[in-house]
Amino acid sequence: MHYIVIDLEWNQTYHEKAVATQKELSIRLRGEVIQIGAVKLDESLSLVGSYRITVKPKFYKKIHRHVMRLTGIDQAQLDHGVPLSEAMESFHRFCGDDAVFLTWGPDDMPMLFDNLRANKLSYTFLDKYYDMQPMFNRETDGEKRQRSLEYAMEHFGIEMNLPAHDALNDALFTARVAQRLNIAEGIRAADAATGDYLYEALFGDADSGERGFLTVEKALLTPAFASPVCPMCGKPLVGKEPMLHAKGQKYQRLYECEEHGEMMLVGGIKRNINETFRLRVILMRADEERLSRYREKLANEREFRRSHRRSRRGGKREGSKTTSPSA
């Protein structure tokens, strides 16, 4: 077993183009991967290899000027990149089949999975991945905040001696932070806390520059929530129970993949600073404890609705007696 610290750079497009493309594909594609960088660490977290490749985009072909300024990747470099299918074959050879993936932040792997689905590619070797941000928080101040990689490097006194926003450089910086953490314990804690998340993504986060949803109803129409697919094979999931709606705009439903088994979909709605809404979607393994809690809440909700209907019918009968013309 070894660790692959991965970082991505992706191209953006203008909102209208993104909306049109996503409607055509019937999937979410906020950005298109244009660079993959990775560092391989052995079980003792020693560096044993590195990887970088430029990917030629298929849908958002013109480099966005903001992305070009940020990454230094220009249109000529983009045009000479390789298709995502070739890049993933090469990356798989570098990683092998016994890898655990580490990222800084929750965005890179969902972005990669969205790109794979858009290109009709499925790579199950990517299914074990962990976000190092909560590991860092757990071992430092314990706060549940999204610390930047630069913050973590400064905390450990790690010099930023390479240009940032290059996928390999950022993967290398992340690996240096990983070497200061108890990664094995962090993974155990993450598994215990999340039940082994299979997919996690945030939509409409206007606080981070995205366009938020105007209504809760529009947020819930997001394909990743309204028509989820298996993160391993990309096939549509089949709903097995009704949606459970809890207080605080939290939603939960049991789904099943014919090949990969039962999964629990969780959605949470939050309000952005500009009064729009954002949606966090999580797909996790449906273990016995989680299934038991879900079904208990579902049974309680059904009983509440039955009781409410009975009380309403009773009230109507009583009201009809008091308004009888026989008085």
Side-chain angles (χ1 to χ4, degrees), residues 2-7 37 39 41 45 99-105 108-109 128-132 135 171 174-175 178-179 183 187:
H2 51 269
Y3 301 103
I4 301 293
V5 183
I6 181 174
D7 186 83
V39 170
L41 305 176
L45 300 181
V100 173
F101 293 86
L102 301 174
T103 67
W104 188 268
D108 288 72
M109 296 307 283
K128 294 181 182 178
Y129 63 92
Y130 296 87
D131 178 5
M132 283 172 47
M135 299 182 192
T174 305
Q179 291 170 331
I183 294 296
I187 288 175

Side-chain angles (χ1 to χ4, degrees), residues 244-257:
L244 177 64
H245 181 194
K247 291 181 179 179
Q249 295 296 351
K250 294 181 180 179
Y251 302 84
Q252 192 174 0
R253 189 179 184 187
L254 179 65
Y255 281 88
E256 184 174 35
C257 171

Side-chain angles (χ1 to χ4, degrees), residues 195-238:
D196 195 8
Y197 283 12
L198 301 172
Y199 174 87
E200 181 178 14
L202 184 63
F203 305 86
D205 185 11
D207 299 353
S208 298
E210 292 187 30
R211 180 173 292 188
F213 298 102
L214 296 179
T215 66
V216 170
E217 290 74 20
K218 288 185 177 180
L220 296 178
L221 292 176
T222 301
F225 180 81
S227 50
V229 299
C230 174
M232 274 83 79
C233 65
K235 294 179 181 177
L237 295 176
V238 178

Side-chain angles (χ1 to χ4, degrees), residues 36-324:
I36 302 172
V39 170
K40 183 184 290 186
L41 305 176
D42 63 18
E43 289 191 59
S44 63
L45 300 181
S46 296
L47 193 153
V48 294
S50 63
Y51 178 93
R52 181 203 280 129
I53 196 166
T54 301
V55 181
K56 184 177 181 179
K58 180 179 179 181
F59 305 102
Y60 306 150
K61 299 179 181 180
K62 184 177 180 181
I63 188 75
H64 193 287
R65 59 178 179 271
H66 171 71
V67 175
M68 184 167 60
R69 285 197 301 266
L70 197 66
T71 66
I73 299 173
D74 60 26
Q75 190 65 49
Q77 291 172 290
L78 214 59
D79 292 341
H80 285 88
V82 303
L84 184 62
S85 58
E86 292 183 26
M88 291 307 297
E89 288 177 6
S90 168
F91 185 52
H92 191 179
R93 287 194 297 270
F94 169 77
C95 297
D97 290 315
D98 189 25
V100 173
F101 293 86
L102 301 174
T103 67
W104 188 268
D107 298 323
D108 288 72
M109 296 307 283
M111 176 64 72
L112 181 56
F113 292 148
D114 287 343
N115 275 250
L116 293 174
R117 281 192 287 272
N119 286 271
K120 296 181 171 57
L121 301 173
S122 177
Y123 288 85
T124 56
F125 77 96
L126 295 165
D127 62 353
K128 294 181 182 178
Y129 63 92
Y130 296 87
D131 178 5
M132 283 172 47
Q133 280 183 337
M135 299 182 192
F136 172 81
N137 289 343
R138 182 174 175 272
E139 293 191 31
T140 54
D141 56 18
E143 293 190 15
K144 295 182 178 180
R145 298 175 61 183
Q146 287 195 351
R147 306 287 196 184
S148 68
L149 179 57
E150 290 80 3
Y151 179 95
M153 293 176 66
E154 184 178 344
H155 175 85
F156 288 125
I158 299 170
E159 182 183 358
M160 185 173 282
N161 55 1
L162 296 168
H165 300 297
D166 171 274
L168 177 56
N169 292 349
D170 287 349
L172 181 59
F173 293 148
T174 305
R176 290 173 179 171
V177 173
Q179 291 170 331
R180 308 295 183 92
L181 298 173
N182 188 335
I183 294 296
E185 178 57 34
I187 288 175
R188 283 192 290 270
D191 284 344
T194 66
D196 195 8
Y197 283 12
L198 301 172
Y199 174 87
E200 181 178 14
L202 184 63
F203 305 86
D205 185 11
D207 299 353
S208 298
E210 292 187 30
R211 180 173 292 188
F213 298 102
L214 296 179
T215 66
V216 170
E217 290 74 20
K218 288 185 177 180
L220 296 178
L221 292 176
T222 301
F225 180 81
S227 50
V229 299
C230 174
M232 274 83 79
C233 65
K235 294 179 181 177
L237 295 176
V238 178
K240 295 193 67 180
E241 299 279 0
M243 184 70 72
L244 177 64
H245 181 194
K247 291 181 179 179
Q249 295 296 351
K250 294 181 180 179
Y251 302 84
Q252 192 174 0
R253 189 179 184 187
L254 179 65
Y255 281 88
E256 184 174 35
C257 171
E258 186 176 286
E259 182 178 354
H260 295 101
E262 292 182 330
M263 303 175 191
M264 193 67 71
L265 176 74
V266 178
I269 300 285
K270 296 290 185 181
R271 191 181 294 271
N272 293 316
I273 293 175
N274 64 357
E275 297 304 310
T276 61
F277 298 93
R278 62 182 181 271
L279 168 69
R280 183 175 294 281
V281 177
I282 298 170
L283 261 175
M284 62 184 74
R285 300 188 190 280
D287 57 30
E288 290 185 10
E289 182 180 352
R290 186 166 283 109
L291 277 173
S292 177
R293 292 200 302 268
Y294 165 74
R295 284 172 173 152
E296 180 181 355
K297 291 178 181 178
L298 202 59
N300 291 339
E301 184 180 82
R302 287 167 175 161
E303 179 57 33
F304 173 80
R305 289 179 177 176
R306 281 195 294 267
S307 299
H308 185 63
R309 285 196 297 268
R310 285 197 296 268
S311 64
R312 289 185 63 186
R313 286 197 297 268
K316 288 180 180 179
R317 285 196 295 270
E318 292 174 5
S320 64
K321 291 179 182 178
T322 57
T323 58
S324 171

